[in-house]
Amino acid sequence: DTSNLEKIDIGKVLKVKKGKGFAEGQKLKKRNRVETNTVYKTLAGGDLAFMLDEKTRIFMGNDSELIIKSFLIPEKKSHEVYIQLIKGSFLYQSLRKTNTSLTVKVNNMANMFRSNGFETSVAFNFRENENDIRFVNAGKSILQFLDKDLLLGDYGVIDQNGTLSLNNIPNKYE
């Protein structure tokens, strides 16, 4: 329950499939405000796109749920972000010259993902029914999980037993 947490205005809704995107149970429209500590949800067949400061974007897939716990700008072109993925998928993208420190907590996992650096483009897909998480680093930042560094083009899966497998998309980013 996020109702007693402070909500800070951090951006706006860029795109929403009609009747398929919600904030705390209320239907979202284009240009609605985006706030921290708010449960954002899409239904099956729905998607949502947010624009935060300086064109930083979050794209939510269908049947997804997340909370942007914090979005701080300690200095110009520098972001500190914390997102909790409850279910489904999202992509986080920042501009080339924005230094981002992103922490992602997936609902039932003890360990968090951390992405640090410029040109952040990371995506996560937590499939509740399969109880696995898939993730990819499509940007120039370094995505970290446990003691592993995932660079541009690296992707992985953590299965229901907690087994981590990592791969790279060959020749994709050369």
Side-chain angles (χ1 to χ4, degrees):
D1 180 26
T2 61
S3 59
N4 60 346
L5 297 173
E6 181 185 11
K7 301 189 185 300
I8 299 165
D9 185 337
I10 55 171
K12 67 182 177 187
V13 174
L14 204 56
K15 183 183 133 201
V16 59
K17 262 205 181 135
K18 193 171 176 154
K20 302 277 187 176
F22 298 85
E24 303 285 348
Q26 303 294 312
K27 275 189 186 171
L28 284 171
K29 294 184 190 128
K30 193 174 174 180
R31 291 193 283 289
N32 278 149
R33 301 313 299 165
V34 174
E35 298 176 320
T36 59
N37 293 312
T38 299
V39 178
Y40 290 98
K41 188 176 204 169
T42 57
L43 301 177
D47 55 42
L48 256 177
F50 304 136
M51 175 152 13
L52 309 180
D53 145 279
E54 295 178 27
K55 299 196 190 278
T56 295
R57 295 170 188 222
I58 296 175
F59 300 93
M60 284 178 67
N62 71 73
D63 198 21
S64 297
E65 199 171 326
L66 64 74
I67 301 169
I68 304 166
K69 296 283 210 176
S70 65
F71 182 81
L72 303 171
I73 305 167
E75 55 192 61
K76 197 172 184 221
K77 302 255 182 234
S78 176
H79 297 163
E80 291 176 9
V81 190
Y82 179 13
I83 297 174
Q84 180 182 351
L85 178 61
I86 299 165
K87 70 174 186 174
S89 61
F90 80 93
L91 165 66
Y92 181 97
Q93 281 185 320
S94 71
L95 290 178
R96 239 177 343 120
K97 295 180 179 165
T98 302
N99 189 9
T100 303
S101 171
L102 171 67
T103 301
V104 176
K105 170 144 179 51
V106 177
N107 206 29
N108 63 352
M109 290 178 58
N111 297 300
M112 297 189 209
F113 291 88
R114 297 186 195 292
S115 174
N116 292 293
F118 294 90
E119 206 172 321
T120 302
S121 184
V122 292
F124 299 88
N125 185 2
F126 173 49
R127 303 182 312 169
E128 259 185 329
N129 53 343
E130 308 288 329
N131 198 27
D132 72 4
I133 177 145
R134 296 163 185 270
F135 50 93
V136 63
N137 186 1
K140 301 224 168 114
S141 64
I142 297 172
L143 179 63
Q144 297 172 312
F145 183 73
L146 299 172
D147 60 347
K148 306 279 190 275
D149 285 356
L150 287 86
L151 306 175
L152 180 64
D154 288 345
Y155 65 95
V157 177
I158 300 170
D159 69 19
Q160 61 219 11
N161 303 319
T163 306
L164 172 67
S165 57
L166 298 173
N167 291 289
N168 184 275
I169 304 166
N171 307 319
K172 180 74 177 160
Y173 298 101
E174 291 176 7

